[in-house]
Amino acid sequence: MPRVKFTSHLQRYFPTLQETTVEGRTVAEVVAALDERYPGLADYVLDDQGSLRKHVNIFIDEDVITDRTTLQDPVSELNRVYIFQALSGG
């Protein structure tokens, strides 16, 4: 199972959020599995069309995912998935 790590900013909204392993062969399956464990997480990182929100990035190991629309980038049990909320402002 891929191991998933999160930016600490997400813990503000999901206080019990911690590094974890989940089932999933694609990023979409990983996000769905995380949403079962942390209800509402998918709504936070995905828009109403199911695409990754503009200010959220997901990396598989060192590489940013390429499919931000359907999240079909493959994930193996050896991968680490990182979910980051980008900060913006002036």
Side-chain angles (χ1 to χ4, degrees):
M1 291 190 283
R3 178 162 290 283
V4 183
K5 295 182 76 170
F6 307 90
T7 183
S8 61
H9 295 92
L10 289 173
Q11 289 178 323
R12 177 185 310 168
Y13 305 102
F14 302 94
T16 61
L17 194 65
Q18 59 185 329
E19 182 175 332
T20 188
T21 58
V22 293
E23 296 283 343
R25 293 174 291 162
T26 65
V27 172
E29 291 177 2
V30 167
V31 171
L34 290 169
D35 193 59
E36 287 183 22
R37 192 171 299 171
Y38 302 103
L41 181 67
D43 290 336
Y44 193 81
V45 299
L46 305 177
D47 65 18
D48 59 353
Q49 302 298 311
S51 298
L52 195 61
R53 290 188 185 276
K54 181 178 178 182
H55 296 293
V56 175
N57 283 315
I58 298 179
F59 288 76
I60 301 172
D61 297 327
E62 298 87 26
D63 301 314
V64 68
I65 64 169
T66 58
D67 181 3
R68 294 180 61 92
T69 305
T70 62
L71 310 177
Q72 293 302 305
D73 293 68
V75 178
S76 82
E77 64 182 39
L78 301 176
N79 287 132
R80 289 188 182 265
V81 176
Y82 301 93
I83 299 178
F84 293 100
Q85 178 186 12
L87 298 177
S88 61

